[in-house]
């Protein structure tokens, strides 16, 4: 693919915590309009990579270019403008505990889109409904919600500004299978309609088989292999073989074609 | 796709049936304008009106929700056939999810006077419940303490010593400095007032009495309330928010024994020690002022202390320290257990712990002062 189709270009990323090296010379691309699944064992640095890309952590070496710009070298204003095009769903939701769900989603709409409070709360309600939350939850505080509902509300907030790039950190973990399938479909629909690029960290094999265009495997401190699922699954690495051809991988593969062919 | 015209919704009544013309980019950037337009339009057309979406530019979820609300289910089904597949899917997804959405009705504003009374009532109720809870919690601590006192092999010395370091040793410098300064200030005040009577020598008695009986223990307790009660609440509160307290319970352990007892014991040991440090430093502060500006040399200061001040004043001061320590630790821990899971709640309860423990310390000190005075101690 040509470079102007690349929305995120990470080159030579190194991340170290004291003696522990998490990433070494890691390269990764995210193309416009694709859903990239990022997989790897626990502790392989998936979330750290996400934090490095969105600029929450400055990598110890290497460069991340987002829409062709290096986030670290931008001024505050420009940086904020780029960050507005991100939607991030954190692993634990990271909803603001002092605000209701509606206020959580309305906050970026008021601050960045310049909507009035009424308009913003109305639109926030739409986003919450889109993420699959009932109206009754809208005025509740995050404390009184289940883990699955927090995930949905966090997705609604990530989608608030209709971002260009959506970062999802284990979005379907803790959702029931029906909810997880609906979640997958929602991401697909949004991607098709809005041309979203999605950076998706997940352990959910069904999600991987159903919606991802490419898969990047994080292992041995770098991206071991990146490509379409069929290609990646053929890689000789023993971890990849165990991952995609273990009992769960086989089950997901068998279930996938039925849904996969629809797209 | 280039925007064909500025985003708009217009009603064309020249044709029959009336036709809603949707044009331009229906995106978040134009949300406020578009929402106003469509709200004013919605009353103007009948059920038979058709919609023309051929001029529609880009569409995002914000625009799709407006369109869905404007057009309704049937018209949407009829007119979306002309749209690209992706936009149609988006409109349908948004429509199905917002179909039943309406803004929840807010409760009407009530009479301000009634609300004021209600709040006062709530506050009184909370005060009563808090008092009961504190007494109950103190009982639970004492009960656990008594049970464990008979089983020395189950005493947990490591956390106790760690907490003594945090609450006692680490606080010693600030306690010493503060009481030294207050001691000096009291001596200055005494000197100013007593000089009029030619009785500056009684400055020694003033400093010694006030510090031994009241100031040392009160200042230390207030410092501990600010420093330690808040720390206890924050520590236990964030454990509560993280479900760690629940984990302790399900492991068959007792959070009172594991978390509260070491803290209470540590403060019971360190507060009296700090009080003693505070007494010494306060009197040193007084002695320095006496030596430098009142011509009372330290040797004379000491001999006056020996002859004028009975040992019961020291005891009256020290005996209050364990009571203050127990209450401060109990309030700090109890507020930690009351935290309900959010970061905001940790903050609110920390504030409450500090306010409550300072309040309780001062009230108890006033009651004790009355008691000791009546007893003639």
């Amino acid at each position: 693919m040509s470079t102007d189709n690349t929305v995120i270009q990470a080159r030579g990323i190194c991340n170290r915590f004291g003696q522990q090296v998490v990433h070494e010379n890691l390269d990764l691309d995210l193309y416009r309009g694709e859903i990239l699944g990022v997989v790897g064992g626990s502790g392989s640095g998936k979330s750290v990579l996400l934090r490095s890309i969105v600029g929450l952590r400055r990598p110890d070496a290497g460069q991340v270019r987002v829409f062709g710009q290096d986030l670290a070298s931008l001024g505050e204003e420009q940086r904020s403008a780029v960050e507005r095009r991100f939607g991030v769903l954190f692993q634990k939701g990271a909803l603001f505990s002092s605000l209701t769900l509606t206020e959580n989603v309305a906050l970026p709409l008021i601050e960045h889109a310049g909507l009035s409070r009424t308009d913003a709360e109305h639109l926030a309600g739409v986003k919450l409904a889109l993420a699959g939350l009932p109206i009754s939850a809208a005025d509740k505080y995050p404390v009184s919600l289940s883990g699955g509902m927090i995930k949905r509300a966090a997705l609604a907030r990530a989608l608030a500004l209709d971002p260009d790039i959506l970062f999802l950190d284990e979005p379907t973990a803790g959702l029931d299978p029906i909810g997880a399938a609906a979640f997958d479909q929602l991401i697909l629909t949004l991607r098709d309609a809005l041309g979203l690029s999605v950076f998706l960290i997940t352990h959910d094999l069904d999600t991987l088989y159903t919606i991802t265009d490419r898969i990047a495997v994080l292992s041995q401190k770098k991206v071991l292999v990146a490509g379409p699922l069929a290609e990646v699954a053929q890689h000789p690495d023993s971890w990849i073989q165990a991952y995609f051809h273990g009992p769960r991988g086989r089950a997901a593969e068998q279930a996938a074609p039925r849904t996969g062919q629809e797209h | 796709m280039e925007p064909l015209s500025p985003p708009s919704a217009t009603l064309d009544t020249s044709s029959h049936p009336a036709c809603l013309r949707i044009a331009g980019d229906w995106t978040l950037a134009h949300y406020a304008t578009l929402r106003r337009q469509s709200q004013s339009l919605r009353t103007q057309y009948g059920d038979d009106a058709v919609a023309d979406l051929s001029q529609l530019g880009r569409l995002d979820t914000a625009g799709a929700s407006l369109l869905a609300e404007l057009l309704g289910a049937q018209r949407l089904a009829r007119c979306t056939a002309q749209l690209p597949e992706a936009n149609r899917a988006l409109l349908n997804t948004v429509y199905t999810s917002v179909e039943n959405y309406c803004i929840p009705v807010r409760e009407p504003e009530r009479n301000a006077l009634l609300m004021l009374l209600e709040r006062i009532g709530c506050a009184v109720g909370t005060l009563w419940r808090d008092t009961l809870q504190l007494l109950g919690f103190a009982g639970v601590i004492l009960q656990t303490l008594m049970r464990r006192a008979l089983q020395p092999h189950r005493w947990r010395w490591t956390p106790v010593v760690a907490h003594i370091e945090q609450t006692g040793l680490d606080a010693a410098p600030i306690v010493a400095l503060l009481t030294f300064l207050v001691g000096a200030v009291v001596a200055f005040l005494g000197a100013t007032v007593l000089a009029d009577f030619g009785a500056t020598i009684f400055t020694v008695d003033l400093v010694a009495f006030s510090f031994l009986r009241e100031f040392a223990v009160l200042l230390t307790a207030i410092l501990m309330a600010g420093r330690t009660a808040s720390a206890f609440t924050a520590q236990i509160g964030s454990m509560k928010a993280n479900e760690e307290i629940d984990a302790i319970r399900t492991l068959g352990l007792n959070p009172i024994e594991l978390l509260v007892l070491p803290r209470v014991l540590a403060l019971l040991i360190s507060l009296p020690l700090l009080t003693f440090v505070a007494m010494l430093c306060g009197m040193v502060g007084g002695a320095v002022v006496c030596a430098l500006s009142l011509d009372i040399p330290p040797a004379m200061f000491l001999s006056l202390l020996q002859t004028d001040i009975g040992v019961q004043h020291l005891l009256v001061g020290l005996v209050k320290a364990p009571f203050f320590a127990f209450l401060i630790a109990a309030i700090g821990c109890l507020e930690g257990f009351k935290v309900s899971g959010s970061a905001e709640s940790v903050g609110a309860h920390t504030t409450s712990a500090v306010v409550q423990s300072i309040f309780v310390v001062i009230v108890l000190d006033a009651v004790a002062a009355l008691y000791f005075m009546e007893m003639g101690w």
Side-chain angles (χ1 to χ4, degrees), chain A residues 97-98 109 113 115 118-119 121-123 125-127 129-130 135 139 143 160-162 186 189-190 192-194, chain B residues 28 31-32 35 59-62 65 69 86 89-90 93-94 97-98 100-104 106 340 342-344:
Chain A
S97 54
S98 54
L109 292 170
L115 296 189
T118 336
D119 281 351
E121 291 194 347
H122 180 81
L123 189 53
V126 173
K127 307 266 172 176
L130 199 58
I135 312 165
D139 276 341
V143 167
L161 293 173
D162 281 310
L186 176 64
T189 309
L190 291 175
D192 293 343
L194 309 177
Chain B
L28 182 58
Y31 186 80
R35 181 147 189 250
L59 186 67
D60 65 7
T61 49
S65 76
E69 284 163 26
L90 179 67
T93 311
V94 171
S97 56
V98 300
N100 297 315
Y101 187 82
C102 58
I103 297 213
R106 300 209 182 274
S340 65
S342 68
E344 199 191 23

Side-chain angles (χ1 to χ4, degrees), chain B residues 46-370:
Chain B
D47 284 338
D48 59 339
V50 293
D52 173 17
L53 300 182
S54 56
Q55 305 289 301
L56 180 65
R58 291 187 334 176
L59 186 67
D60 65 7
T61 49
S65 76
L66 275 183
L67 264 188
E69 284 163 26
L70 181 64
L71 300 180
Q74 291 164 1
R75 216 169 289 126
L76 210 55
R78 262 183 278 133
C79 63
T80 48
Q82 38 187 316
L83 284 178
E85 159 73 30
N87 278 354
R88 195 165 64 223
L90 179 67
L91 263 177
N92 283 335
T93 311
V94 171
Y95 184 74
T96 25
S97 56
V98 300
E99 202 169 12
N100 297 315
Y101 187 82
C102 58
I103 297 213
V105 190
R106 300 209 182 274
E107 280 183 35
E109 291 275 319
R110 280 171 304 161
N111 188 323
L113 185 67
L114 275 181
M115 280 170 67
L116 178 73
L117 286 176
E118 186 188 313
R119 286 191 67 162
I120 294 175
C122 281
V124 172
T126 314
L127 182 68
W128 175 241
R129 271 196 305 279
D130 279 354
T131 315
L132 280 187
Q133 253 177 347
L134 180 61
L135 289 174
F137 191 67
V140 173
I141 296 176
L142 288 176
Q143 186 197 21
T144 321
L145 191 66
M146 287 306 128
R147 217 176 323 138
R148 287 295 160 259
L150 304 175
Q151 301 163 303
H153 61 282
R154 291 189 61 174
W155 294 355
R156 295 164 195 278
W157 286 114
T158 320
V160 173
V161 173
H163 283 296
I164 289 178
E165 187 190 342
Q166 283 172 20
T167 60
L169 200 59
D170 293 353
I174 183 82
V175 167
L177 177 68
L178 268 175
T179 46
F180 177 85
L181 293 176
V182 175
V185 169
V186 169
F188 266 124
L189 275 180
T192 320
V193 177
L194 294 170
D196 296 345
F197 306 101
T200 41
I201 196 74
F202 283 108
T203 305
V204 179
D205 290 40
L206 179 68
V207 171
F209 266 110
S210 57
F211 265 86
L212 288 182
R213 292 184 71 105
E214 297 291 343
F215 279 5
V217 68
L218 199 59
L219 283 174
T220 316
I222 289 175
L223 265 175
M224 287 295 102
R227 196 179 175 278
T228 311
S230 56
F232 287 177
T233 308
Q235 287 161 358
I236 295 183
S238 23
M239 289 181 77
K240 178 84 188 294
N242 200 20
E243 294 185 319
E244 289 172 52
I245 307 283
D246 300 338
I248 290 178
R249 288 220 171 89
T250 51
L251 287 171
L253 300 166
N254 181 355
I256 302 285
E257 188 190 332
L258 225 58
L259 301 175
V260 179
L261 276 195
R263 288 177 167 82
V264 172
L265 285 178
L267 207 56
L268 275 175
I269 294 170
S270 37
L271 189 60
L273 290 176
L274 285 174
T275 303
F276 189 67
V277 170
M279 289 170 174
L280 292 183
C281 290
M283 286 193 291
V284 168
V288 167
V289 171
C290 285
L292 294 182
S293 68
L294 300 180
D295 294 326
I296 304 171
M300 192 172 165
F301 191 96
L302 278 179
S303 75
L304 278 174
L305 270 187
Q306 261 182 330
T307 49
D308 283 7
I309 314 292
V311 74
Q312 84 267 24
H313 301 302
L314 173 85
L315 296 180
V316 161
L318 277 181
V319 82
K320 289 185 277 190
F323 291 96
F324 290 169
F326 183 79
L327 283 170
I328 292 170
I331 290 172
C333 294
L334 176 61
E335 287 299 315
F337 280 112
K338 284 190 203 162
V339 166
S340 65
S342 68
E344 199 191 23
S345 163
V346 175
H349 283 285
T350 308
T351 312
S352 163
V354 175
V355 173
Q356 275 187 52
S357 41
I358 292 181
F359 176 78
V360 166
V361 161
I362 292 180
V363 167
L364 192 66
D365 189 66
V367 172
L370 273 179

Side-chain angles (χ1 to χ4, degrees), chain A residues 168-197:
Chain A
L168 305 171
D169 196 348
E170 304 204 8
T172 50
L175 289 188
D176 61 273
I178 303 171
F183 202 102
D184 291 347
Q185 284 312 312
L186 176 64
I187 301 293
L188 264 185
T189 309
L190 291 175
R191 192 274 305 264
D192 293 343
L194 309 177
L196 280 178
S197 314

